[in-house]
């Protein structure tokens, strides 16, 4: 596996020397100030061996990547009952579209578009205090990463809450269809906070191991659930760019607007990449490119 | 005009003796308990002569009919500037649809669908206290009706606020597009209160006179603005049933979910009808039928 | 009525001296070559008195204006049965949109958008030869205008047929929903031919008299049907610019992509205007402006 | 691999003994008469070893499954140039929806929905006779299956052509957007004919081997292209049920309305199943269930 290290190092060098970094997400003020000229990558094999290159220690806002973890928790609590509230199909729409929500009468298409992730958060919040729910989410991620130094950035959460009108529109719309168990304020307060969890690429790659079926990897969920979560990441993990990511990379993965991507090599590895500049789908520009090259050079595509 | 009185009396008798009253709007709890078996009609000629029949003294919730008055006030305050925030086209959609709002990037199609009326309320609220804004709206309607006994039903307003998730979705969506000057809570608080204004059909018919151009009628707005408001009522006044109402009745009119309809016979009369059971478009079932018969028998169609 | 003549003359002079003519419709090759710098207007009162100004003798392609005549014929043949195939509501969409057709399962929103007009043509064509159907349509218009010199421009019809893929898409879609009685080729062949009828503004204004209820005007349809046709022209006659036209002009009217507009002043007059440059809704730019000024100066708004 | 044989046999027995067969596609008259109570399955390993059970010799209409082969041919001829005409994203819509085509201005979302497959056929047809194009398609499939006894069913092709209004609507719509190189008749004539290719499950499973990267499998396309085709099958291969299929089965696969499904186990096997009764997405009811069980029992999910 010296190969892997040299590939990561070369990738990081190439990315740092190529000037086109893309634009940072502007709609969350706290994130708008992040320097786009950063790139880090980390791969953790099923046996725990770790390889890194670039800006691997900088904590960044995990954002939508946390939706993989909340979905795992929700399925653990509610089982297949969850699917009465949210679908499993790619949306064919932007991540924050409300059009489909009206067409499908308040049932989001999948758990990774905003509306679906809000429904998932609402599900695990039901009957509990937001504080306890957030503690469970953070605890799950820390356990997966085997690292207690993972935290919520309150300033980012508050910034999103203050500028989250689109998400409030989605939550109120679901409420009007009877598909919200808590108030929009309560559910979104929790949602914005778990989206504001920060990790470095190394922490994120380690946390992703819970989706790698291997004797040496931590066992937080069953093998069958791993597969199904990976399937959802493949078809829905990159919003309306999921088909393109599958075509170019061939790995189940979930992106976040903070510029992170978590990809799973089933049975073999968990890989995280981070570069805050985004492409037109709202996914990391250089992160996507790096994943495509890495999968090709390591022959990691599941296809 | 003995004719008119006998026509109204006959209409009321026929409506009261026909058992099919339709269903009352169920989504506002305070209104869900209204007895559907009621019908009242009032016509006020340009010279102030008044004709009534049926349940003419019962105050009912004016709801969307108040949007005609708030639009008049908004145009008085902001002039054509208002049209940068809201369009003038029929929507081809249900009154509470959010689909078109996304397609048109937060600019409602017209001032009579919910989103458009919320934008109008937001416009006249800007920079003022809700209390003062509501006072101006009520005062405008009282002046138009020449009747101080017109009030807001607080219980209805609070009931709508508590169950108004769809309207909150619309307001937050507009806010996310930069088309809301106040907070959703503030604008909707004002909106729900003016929708909860109660009038009898007699009071409503009198209030409608401000849209009748005649020497004897009160002059609250210019003749040109009257015409333009009437045009908007014709093309957009009955939500997605506006074309059908124009086809069957041929008068500019505005309906409310409380079962009221205000129709204008340009230059000649203001007519109000009320019957709380609704048809599939959300407009008064018997009210629409009565307006069609009245317009035909009086030869009042503008066409 | 010397006034009316002087107003028309002034309108024509002003329009000819203002250089902004708009762009001619480009998608029908035969029409793309028309010189946009033309303007003509004609008004015919209920008693037959005629006033004209500008380019009043030039025959132009009536296009969608013919849909008023085919609708009158279809209602004469099929009565209210027609409304099972086509609705009466404004579309809130572009004239050639296919989106709504899918949402409403093949039933067009109204008879003046393309899909609806195709259904109307299909209705009057059923069981007859296209040649006979076209003869009836032309004959109806000639009778209305009291002028035998009105013809179909075959070259325009063929040009539209050859470039009419969007209309073929609409027709095939309706056929797939069971809402087409003839083959798309047969119905569209007839449709393109009646759209290619040419008239001067004077001929068109005369033909419009059949929608004016007056002792002196020709009686081709009943007074009730006149009113209902006028109502449809008001709410749906200018595609997705119908609300704006009602707001600015206040008259029932139908536009065509050839740059013509036919407006009815109920009980009083028929007015036709023509200028081939279009605005963003596909309606005549100067024609709309002229109608707005004429209605204002003559106090002709129905509102 | 005795296991595999016993699993297939048990699957076939279970399916034949369970009475709920679903409904055969009704919109193609020639297919509407197929007996739904049939089930066959075949698996071919990378080394050519073959396992079958049930109705394995009955030729059925491959329909949309042929789109995998035409896409491979189109990429071979046009390379990535093809993607300027068609996208690579799941559609979030029914297979024959025209809504998205209007929203995306005539560029289909992916090559497996009807519009996209028509564009692919149009691409490989350009500049050649339909007869030659069809010969190439059939020849490609015969070579992949190593079986000359694969043919087009002309009666089915003609039946589809005669009842193909929806596909004509799609083709004309693309033509109106400039995204069709041949006439709709010519392209659809070719399209309906390749959709009417008939194969048994055994032939289809053998033909699928061209997507399995293995020393022993036939090499018709490069390994990179195999992966990318498999990726498209995973995200878009089951229309608006693709997410569900990925979730339940975890294999790249393509379904056809004739009741067939071709699934690829990357690097290991090609599997075909057939049962003509369909589920609500238009995919084989029992075929989907069988694939889910087979993938689970063989541990074949790529995730």
């Amino acid at each position: 596996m010296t190969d892997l290290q040299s590939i990561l190092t070369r990738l990081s060098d190439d990315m740092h020397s190529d000037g086109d970094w893309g634009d940072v997400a502007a709609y969350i003020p706290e994130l708008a100030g992040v320097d786009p000229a950063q790139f880090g990558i980390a791969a953790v094999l099923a046996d725990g061996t770790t390889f890194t290159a670039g800006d691997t220690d900088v904590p960044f806002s995990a954002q939508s990547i946390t939706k993989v973890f909340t979905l795992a928790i929700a399925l653990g609590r509610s089982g297949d009952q969850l699917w009465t509230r949210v679908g499993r199909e790619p949306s064919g729409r932007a991540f924050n579209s409300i059009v489909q929500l009206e067409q499908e009468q308040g049932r989001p298409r999948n758990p990774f578009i905003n509306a679906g992730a809000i429904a998932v958060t609402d599900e695990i919040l039901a009957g509990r205090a937001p504080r306890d729910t957030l503690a469970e989410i953070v605890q799950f991620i820390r356990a997966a990463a085997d690292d207690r130094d993972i935290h919520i950035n309150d300033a980012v959460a508050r910034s999103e809450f203050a500028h989250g009108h689109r998400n409030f529109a989605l939550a109120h719309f679901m409420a009007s269809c009877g598909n919200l168990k808590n108030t929009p304020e309560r559910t979104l307060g929790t949602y914005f906070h778990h989206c504001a969890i920060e990790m470095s690429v190394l922490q994120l790659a380690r946390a992703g191991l819970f989706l790698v079926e291997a004797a040496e990897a931590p066992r937080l969920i069953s093998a069958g659930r791993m597969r199904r979560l990976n399937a959802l990441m493949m078809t829905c993990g990159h919003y309306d760019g999921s088909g393109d990511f599958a075509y170019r990379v061939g790995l189940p993965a979930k992106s976040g607007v903070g510029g992170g991507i978590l990809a799973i090599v089933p049975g073999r590895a968990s890989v995280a990449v981070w570069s805050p500049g985004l492409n037109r789908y709202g996914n990391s520009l250089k992160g996507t490119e790096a994943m495509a090259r890495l999968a090709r050079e390591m022959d990691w595509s599941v296809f």
Side-chain angles (χ1 to χ4, degrees), chain A:
Chain A
M1 280 295 173
T2 345
D3 262 11
L4 178 50
Q5 181 58 57
S6 65
I7 290 171
L8 295 187
T9 303
R10 187 153 29 82
L11 267 177
S12 176
D13 290 350
D14 288 357
M15 293 299 164
H16 275 98
S17 64
D18 168 11
D20 179 16
W21 289 96
D23 291 320
V24 169
Y27 68 93
I28 305 174
E30 277 288 314
L31 297 181
V34 173
D35 176 9
Q38 303 184 77
F39 175 90
I41 190 164
V44 182
L45 302 189
D47 65 5
T49 325
T50 298
F51 303 84
T52 63
D55 306 311
T56 52
D57 300 330
V58 189
F60 60 89
S61 199
Q63 293 292 323
S64 291
I65 303 173
T66 60
K67 297 169 184 177
V68 175
F69 300 93
T70 53
L71 177 58
I73 293 170
L75 286 171
R77 296 177 71 89
S78 306
D80 283 346
Q81 185 70 16
L82 178 70
W83 303 119
T84 59
R85 299 189 58 185
V86 59
R88 295 194 295 255
E89 292 302 327
S91 71
R93 286 273 175 183
F95 65 97
N96 61 359
S97 173
I98 204 164
V99 166
Q100 231 158 16
L101 208 50
E102 178 164 327
Q103 284 160 354
E104 316 231 336
Q105 294 166 293
R107 183 172 174 260
R109 295 276 294 181
N110 69 62
F112 293 149
I113 53 172
N114 285 16
I118 291 167
V120 167
T121 300
D122 182 64
E123 179 74 17
I124 55 182
L125 179 59
R128 294 196 297 167
R131 176 189 309 262
D132 296 339
T133 302
L134 287 167
E136 179 182 359
I137 297 170
V138 172
Q139 181 49 34
F140 185 101
I141 295 176
R142 286 176 176 168
D146 191 21
D147 187 333
R148 297 204 55 78
D149 190 23
I150 292 174
H151 307 278
I152 292 170
N153 183 326
D154 263 328
V156 169
R158 281 194 303 268
S159 179
E160 290 197 59
F161 196 93
H163 295 82
H165 282 300
R166 186 64 76 100
N167 286 319
F168 270 98
L170 297 170
H172 278 290
F173 197 94
M174 287 192 285
S176 78
C177 298
N179 195 12
L180 208 72
K181 298 181 176 179
N182 305 277
T183 64
E185 287 71 20
R186 191 177 171 90
T187 294
L188 288 177
T190 310
Y191 172 81
F192 289 133
H193 272 82
H194 78 63
C195 284
I197 288 173
E198 292 187 343
M199 286 182 265
S200 68
V201 279
L202 180 52
Q203 290 174 316
L204 179 57
R206 279 193 182 128
L209 270 192
F210 89 104
L211 290 167
V212 178
E213 191 185 357
E216 307 83 356
R219 247 315 165 62
L220 297 182
I221 59 174
S222 73
R225 185 153 289 158
M226 279 180 208
R227 276 186 208 126
R228 292 192 287 271
L229 284 170
N230 282 333
L232 286 167
M233 291 166 77
M234 179 67 87
T235 55
C236 312
H238 276 67
Y239 307 123
D240 204 21
S242 298
D244 192 63
F245 192 89
Y247 186 86
R248 294 175 61 194
V249 181
L251 292 176
K254 182 76 203 79
S255 68
V257 78
I261 299 174
L262 171 65
I264 303 302
V265 192
R268 303 171 70 178
S270 166
V271 186
V273 66
W274 170 63
S275 183
L278 306 181
N279 64 18
R280 65 190 179 96
Y281 300 113
N283 303 315
S284 174
L285 179 69
K286 281 198 189 310
T288 302
E289 176 60 25
M291 283 291 188
R293 283 182 52 187
L294 177 61
R296 197 167 53 240
E297 297 189 28
M298 291 300 291
D299 203 17
W300 268 351
S301 163
V302 301
F303 303 116

